Amino acid sequence: MLDIYGGLKYEPIEELMQTKYRRLNTYNGRYYINESVTGNEFAPSVTTVLDAAGLGIPSQLKENLMIQHGTNYRRWLADKASYGTALHRLTETIIQHDTNITTSIAERVLSEEFKRTAKSSEIEDVMKDLAAIVKFLNDVNAKVYATEFMLFGKIAGKNICGTVDILAEIDVEYTYLDHKNPFKSGERKGEPRPAKGIKRELFLLDLKSGKWGFSDGHFYQLLMYRELFTKQYGNQFANSQIANIAHAPRRTAPAYKFKQHEFNFVDVQAVESIVTAFYLTKYEEPKTKKTILSIDRNGFMEIFEGYDYETE
């Protein structure tokens, strides 16, 4: 039985952690409802917008997976999503509560749906992945300020919402030219040597439990989060950076690697174009029982037969 102790630094920013929006799963993707204003505002999720733009699973990978799993592809995809949700929930628990997590504790934290459908080996795999994530966060000396916090705002003048996995200050390695220690001989005599240093930076981190590496969709997802984040919370986070943490390939045991994404004004314009295109071609306000599949309250899924948001 694995026994995982986080020991992570956690100093929550309450303003971030207290903001919650109801989540609707519809035939047209995931939407959120902002009920804190006069009337109700709806917003598609960041991932729903990206999926509609073909920026979900890379097309070649998706084609290979569909061939591999055949008619079971959608079931396999749902199982992977359930696995990812389980891992995210355990990561949030170990960060926030500074406690040991054993397999028995993990089973109490995990959703009933995952426990009902998962094999015992999958629960063990989740625990191994959790241990690897905790190791990564400790290795970069993470100080976590928020986990699984929601953002609701506008990009290109259109509502959009998403949930950020982790906001943390971490150690990042960088390369610089050391003028105090130049080359002593050879063709580069007198030139400064490249050297490595460590700096502390604030990051929006998105955790990926899949094992197929990074994609353009991962980049745009984080860039959308950053746009919403800096608009909602202002200059104090203006210098925040974005990065994924995901499986390092070809390892005998689970390990996680860090992928920082650089971005510029052109990338921000591309994000605005993606959102604009979604609203022009795909957006449908989820108001009737024909579009609502289920509603997620406080992290737990409840299925409503004939649910009609307008009359609830």
Side-chain angles (χ1 to χ4, degrees), residues 201-213:
E201 287 194 304
L202 185 70
F203 274 85
L204 297 169
L205 297 172
D206 190 61
L207 169 64
K208 295 299 178 189
S209 59
K211 298 182 180 179
W212 45 72

Side-chain angles (χ1 to χ4, degrees), residues 59-299:
S59 57
Q60 185 59 57
L61 174 63
K62 183 175 181 179
E63 183 178 329
N64 292 341
L65 290 171
M66 291 179 76
I67 292 171
Q68 180 182 346
H69 296 283
T71 56
N72 293 320
Y73 171 70
R74 289 192 177 278
R75 178 69 261 174
W76 175 86
L77 204 61
D79 288 345
K80 285 299 178 186
S82 181
Y83 184 98
T85 299
L87 182 58
H88 280 72
R89 187 159 292 169
L90 286 178
T91 301
E92 180 180 22
T93 300
I94 204 166
I95 289 172
Q96 290 187 6
H97 298 288
D98 191 25
T99 185
N100 286 36
I101 289 189
T102 63
T103 302
S104 60
I105 292 175
E107 289 178 346
R108 290 203 299 271
V109 171
L110 297 178
S111 69
E112 289 300 322
E113 180 184 359
F114 179 75
K115 286 186 290 185
R116 186 174 63 251
T117 59
K119 303 171 186 174
S120 58
S121 60
E122 288 180 301
I123 294 178
E124 185 177 327
D125 287 344
V126 170
M127 292 292 286
K128 289 178 180 177
D129 272 349
L130 177 65
I133 291 166
V134 169
K135 181 181 185 304
F136 168 82
L137 291 172
N138 276 315
D139 286 348
V140 297
N141 193 25
K143 181 191 287 186
V144 180
Y145 295 112
T147 60
E148 299 294 328
F149 67 98
M150 291 183 173
L151 299 168
F152 191 116
K154 293 184 184 294
I155 294 177
K158 303 296 184 182
N159 286 344
I160 191 165
C161 189
T163 304
V164 179
D165 293 341
I166 298 172
L167 176 69
E169 191 178 77
I170 65 174
D171 289 341
V172 181
E173 186 177 81
Y174 70 101
T175 302
Y176 66 97
L177 294 177
D178 186 355
H179 291 270
K180 294 182 180 179
N181 186 28
F183 288 98
K184 305 294 184 185
S185 59
E187 294 182 2
R188 302 186 63 183
K189 182 178 181 180
E191 292 183 22
R193 292 176 185 269
K196 293 188 181 298
I198 298 291
K199 58 183 175 181
R200 297 285 287 174
E201 287 194 304
L202 185 70
F203 274 85
L204 297 169
L205 297 172
D206 190 61
L207 169 64
K208 295 299 178 189
S209 59
K211 298 182 180 179
W212 45 72
F214 303 109
S215 69
D216 289 344
H218 296 157
F219 166 65
Y220 287 120
Q221 179 182 359
L222 276 161
L223 190 53
M224 285 186 184
Y225 288 161
R226 189 184 183 279
E227 283 294 291
L228 293 171
F229 183 55
T230 53
K231 287 177 181 177
Q232 191 166 342
Y233 293 103
N235 291 333
Q236 60 177 323
F237 300 120
N239 293 323
S240 57
Q241 304 297 311
I242 56 176
N244 286 112
I245 49 178
H247 275 277
R250 295 180 294 278
R251 298 291 182 93
T252 55
Y256 278 77
K257 63 179 181 177
F258 173 82
K259 169 70 173 178
Q260 181 173 357
H261 298 286
E262 303 293 339
F263 56 89
N264 56 36
F265 178 69
V266 174
D267 298 318
V268 175
Q269 285 184 315
V271 160
E272 292 176 347
S273 297
I274 291 169
V275 174
T276 299
F278 177 86
Y279 268 85
L280 287 173
T281 60
K282 302 285 186 180
Y283 178 78
E284 182 178 341
E285 193 168 283
K287 281 190 172 183
T288 70
K289 60 186 177 183
K290 293 181 180 179
T291 59
I292 303 293
L293 290 177
S294 59
I295 185 167
D296 192 344
R297 303 171 190 269
N298 301 320

